[in-house]
Amino acid sequence: MSRWDFVGRTDELNRLLSAVGSPEGRGLLFSGSAGVGKSRLLREGVAALPTDRYAIWSVSASATTAALPFGGLVQVLPADQPQGLSPAGILRWAVDVLQGQAAGRRIVLAIDDVHLLDPPSAALVHLISRAENATVLGTLRNGEQIPLPIRALWTDDLVDLVELGPLNPVETTGLLAAILGGPVDAGSAERLYRLTAGNALLLRELVLAATGGGELTRTYGIWKWTGRLELAPSLTDLIDTRIGQLTPGVRSVVELVAFGEPLGLQLLERAVEPTDVETAEERGLISLVLDDRRLNVRLAHPLYGEVMRRQCPVSRTRRLQATLADLLEQVGKRRRDDLLRVAVWRLDSGTAQDPALLLDAAAQAFGRYDVPLATRLARAALEADGGFDAAELLATILMFADRPDEAIEVLDSVSADVRSDRRRSRWLTVRGMVSYWGLSRESTVEEIAARSGELTDLADLARVRAFEAIMRLHRLDTAVALRLARAVLDRPAASVAARELARCTIAHLQAAQGRFRRSATAIARVQAEAARWRGDMPYLQLAMELARGTRLALSGDLAGIDAIVADEFADLAGAGDFRLGTGYLAILQAYAARLRGQSDEALKTSLGACAVLATSRVYAGLAHAERAQAAALRGDAAHAAEAMAEADRTQAPGMAVLYPWLEQARGAVLAASGDLPGATKHLGQLADRLRADGLTGHEVLVLLDLVRLDQTAAQVGPTCTDGGRRTVAQRLAELSEQVDGVLPPLLARYARAAMADSTTDLLAVADGLARLGLTVYAAEAVAMALHRLRQSRSASIGPARERLATLLGSCDRISTPALQRLRPTLSDREWEVARLAADGVTSRAIAERLYLSSRTVENHLQRVYSKLGVAGRAELKAVLRSMPGHDGGDSA
């Protein structure tokens, strides 16, 4: 990791190269804070310049050479300077030396840390910048004293001065991948970005320290940061230098902000002198930010806090935290986060004596899906004699921290305290949840059903029934699940949380059955009641997202998927390490990317989901199934098969409701391996099973897969009264009248067009699919039409080719059976000749390049034209663009 790839900064790099290459030769200086990447940008730009056109001198000024005349340019000028010249004469001599060494080439003088140049060197740089055949490039650090000749470079309009800001989140993620040599978990990348504020130097130092300390781990090819921060000595020294010497008063300001940020200015000024706050702000140690009419104080850089907290003695740390808690309690906990902040300060300072405070704070943290913090607070509440309520909450949180065995131990430790119906219902439901989803014990459903008879209170019974209903849905006891869920909704005594959990069960089942409108109405009702159920049952959000995600995926609503993976829950779940939430949303994101043809993003995101869910079996099988689909789309049969094997291994038996997704992925894997008969047979059997289970929403997509394999005449379903079975096209026509949304009628038309060999309808269907953002399906429909047009040698084949090329141009690497059907059986040599000819290379030039005769090249081209069904070179490029790989190359 001594050197990492250069990523991002494309606009800045282009601007630098343009400054050198433009006719006027105007120079360019990049300014910015230390570590933002100025020096690296300058080096990359200079390295890209051809030395045959430019005479390039690169200089790194330093404090060491700043006291020596021409010390900054010692690497450029000859060691022996002529004697007896005036200062002006020496400058002219130096310019003449550089002009002579340039030998007619344009001079490029690149100076890193130009602010550190000694006065004669600065004067020489200014003089060179005025030469007609010279360009000055450089970097300077903000906040430093600038020599007057250098400042005059931009005030005299000789160079442009550009402020180089920190990396943005996307560039930071790219730099992380470059440093580590592989993709990084989105949550880890976001946290590291926030911590380093986009500073490339700090990011690299953090990653190096974390790697050395084992805080960065790799799972399924995805790097993930544990969140524990390691600071290398060099990084600590760098930050210490920036902070500098502090007076006791200013140190108090910085320390209080380090332990309490964001801290209200009025609150801070209760504990310190206002003049010390002003001094800290003037020195760039803190910043004031207006937040909803409150002026908050934050540290100027997140890592300042890390260093200050580590250097602060334990006794003073505890005193500062207790002081912060006292201050906030004195003014009153007015904001939503104040209770949580006070509880954390009390816990960290050793002054937490109120279990109710800790318990309320733990519930609030869990309501924000901050699993690590909620675990810590709930455990402290239990240890402070919080009793049954603390144990119940801690066990629930441990379930979502992937620690089910520990959760069972906590629940069993308070089993003797289960005396009332309220406690029994809550103990049963939490223990059932941990046992069923955490430990994959299917027998939990019967155990809960049997023990619910112990309850007499109708509200408590409704809570248990709601849990039993959703467990039965996941086990695919759909009829019983529906009956139980409806009974809960019909019970006036049921709590809001119990009712909405039951509604999620119904909404999920409705989505799987293709009753999307009813499902959407139910989900909207659950969402509208969120403020009333989140405090009691924050994990109900998962049930709602699973129902909503199922509806959106089955109805082909990719925009809807985009919305839920970008909403507040996604941000909270990612920041709080709520893995089931982030994992499931990543699966949805990968699904949408796949259908759009963004196979790179689909594979990376699904791998990320696999990594996040590696310690949980709830959605792990689904994540690997989506990974298998992404790999199959790319034509990577080996990766797809490996992912499918992992899906089978990690799929929890209690998650049977997800079987349609896994089995549909299995069909894609078979097709990717070239076993089209096996894929057709498997998908036909799956369609029959889905029909028997009443999951017609899923059945539509499985039948679509058969259409994509050009198997619209395949027989599915039971034997009819006439002794025959319906074809795929007939079954889709039936379902178009039963399943909600615009997609089923479009797919029914797709099947009819394929059956009738109607290229006009196939192209119209492709337009409809493209409008929905289903780019892969649209491309396959055009490919199917193009295949038929080619067989009939239709004159309209050209526009169809262009349409397919346009669709494929918006995709990454994709390779499906429908697209591969267009790929003719050209030999390797024929492909080679075809690509060169499509690029406009003459036959004679092709012959010279490939060491062939011109006649042999022409013979190859004639065979290519015949196989592709084109008349000549004019059509060749369009044909190759309409094939997988965009150039006729092997997309696999």
Side-chain angles (χ1 to χ4, degrees), residues 79-127:
D80 297 327
Q81 297 180 9
Q83 301 298 316
L85 292 179
S86 65
I90 291 178
L91 290 177
R92 285 194 295 272
W93 164 80
V95 172
D96 290 341
V97 167
L98 293 181
Q99 292 285 8
Q101 293 177 348
R105 295 171 296 171
R106 186 172 190 84
I107 293 173
V108 175
L109 184 58
I111 311 107
D112 194 19
D113 288 336
V114 69
H115 56 280
L116 294 177
L117 285 176
D118 59 279
S121 294
L124 178 56
V125 169
H126 186 94
L127 189 61

Side-chain angles (χ1 to χ4, degrees), residues 513-814:
Q513 293 172 337
R515 301 159 71 190
F516 302 136
R517 284 189 288 271
R518 291 190 179 185
S519 180
T521 301
I523 292 166
R525 176 70 179 273
V526 176
Q527 202 165 14
E529 297 288 345
R532 299 177 64 193
W533 54 253
R534 184 160 284 130
D536 179 17
M537 204 182 287
Y539 47 85
L540 196 155
Q541 181 90 31
L542 270 180
M544 184 182 77
E545 298 299 352
L546 185 58
R548 182 161 57 165
T550 301
R551 176 181 66 82
L552 294 170
L554 293 180
S555 62
D557 187 351
L558 304 189
I561 291 176
D562 292 342
I564 67 171
V565 300
D567 69 5
E568 184 186 23
F569 171 63
D571 292 337
L572 292 173
D577 200 26
F578 190 64
R579 297 174 196 170
L580 288 181
T582 54
Y584 180 67
L585 293 178
I587 293 168
L588 283 181
Q589 191 174 2
Y591 179 88
R594 172 167 59 87
L595 297 194
R596 287 177 169 132
Q598 299 166 357
S599 63
D600 293 347
E601 181 66 22
L603 187 58
K604 186 183 79 170
T605 307
S606 59
L607 278 167
C610 294
V612 168
L613 297 167
T615 56
S616 170
R617 296 188 67 188
V618 177
Y619 298 132
L622 184 62
H624 287 290
E626 184 53 45
R627 175 163 70 100
Q629 287 272 25
L633 177 64
R634 295 167 63 84
D636 190 342
H639 188 162
E642 182 270 326
M644 196 68 236
E646 277 292 280
D648 291 334
R649 186 185 68 81
T650 57
Q651 172 68 356
M655 296 298 292
V657 72
L658 300 178
Y659 89 81
W661 302 110
L662 271 74
E663 296 308 319
Q664 193 175 3
R666 198 181 313 281
V669 172
L670 288 168
S673 70
D675 185 5
L676 299 186
T680 300
K681 180 180 179 181
H682 173 78
L683 291 169
Q685 292 172 343
L686 177 57
D688 291 346
R689 181 180 174 186
L690 291 168
R691 176 176 182 161
D693 289 338
L695 306 181
T696 49
H698 284 285
E699 186 186 354
V700 167
L701 293 191
V702 172
L703 294 173
L704 167 61
D705 283 350
L706 286 166
V707 175
R708 295 168 62 204
L709 294 176
D710 211 359
Q711 296 296 320
T712 51
Q715 294 184 332
V716 292
T719 303
C720 303
T721 53
D722 60 1
R725 300 173 70 198
R726 291 177 177 80
T727 64
V728 169
Q730 290 170 332
R731 179 58 178 159
L732 271 173
E734 286 181 350
L735 292 179
S736 69
E737 299 177 0
Q738 300 174 24
V739 177
D740 297 339
V742 298
L743 188 58
L746 188 61
L747 299 185
R749 185 181 180 187
Y750 189 179
R752 287 196 302 272
M755 282 280 285
D757 291 333
S758 173
T759 57
T760 301
D761 281 353
L762 283 171
L763 294 173
V765 166
D767 289 340
L769 292 168
R771 283 193 293 272
L772 295 175
L774 304 172
T775 310
V776 172
Y777 298 157
E780 289 178 326
V782 176
M784 190 177 290
L786 195 53
H787 181 66
R788 286 158 170 75
L789 288 169
R790 181 186 291 174
Q791 291 177 324
S792 63
R793 297 189 178 274
S794 170
S796 58
I797 194 170
R801 282 177 180 147
E802 286 298 329
R803 192 179 306 187
L804 180 56
T806 300
L807 289 168
L808 291 177
S810 66
C811 299
D812 299 327
R813 165 184 161 185
I814 63 174

Side-chain angles (χ1 to χ4, degrees), residues 29 62 87 111 143 162 207 214-215 232 240 263 290 354 364 543 549 601 617 629 638 659 695 740 756 806 812 856 865:
L29 296 181
S62 68
I111 311 107
V162 176
V207 170
E215 307 305 333
D240 280 341
L263 205 57
L290 188 63
D354 183 2
Q364 188 177 105
E601 181 66 22
R617 296 188 67 188
Q629 287 272 25
Y659 89 81
L695 306 181
D740 297 339
T806 300
D812 299 327
T856 300
Y865 299 155

Side-chain angles (χ1 to χ4, degrees), residues 829-864:
R829 179 64 82 189
E830 287 169 348
W831 276 118
E832 200 171 10
V833 170
R835 291 191 192 101
L836 291 170
D839 289 338
V841 182
T842 65
S843 295
R844 181 175 179 180
I846 294 173
E848 291 175 354
R849 186 177 302 186
L850 302 181
Y851 304 102
L852 302 172
S853 68
S854 296
R855 182 174 180 179
T856 300
V857 170
E858 286 298 328
N859 288 338
H860 280 313
L861 282 175
Q862 290 305 317
R863 285 194 294 272
V864 168

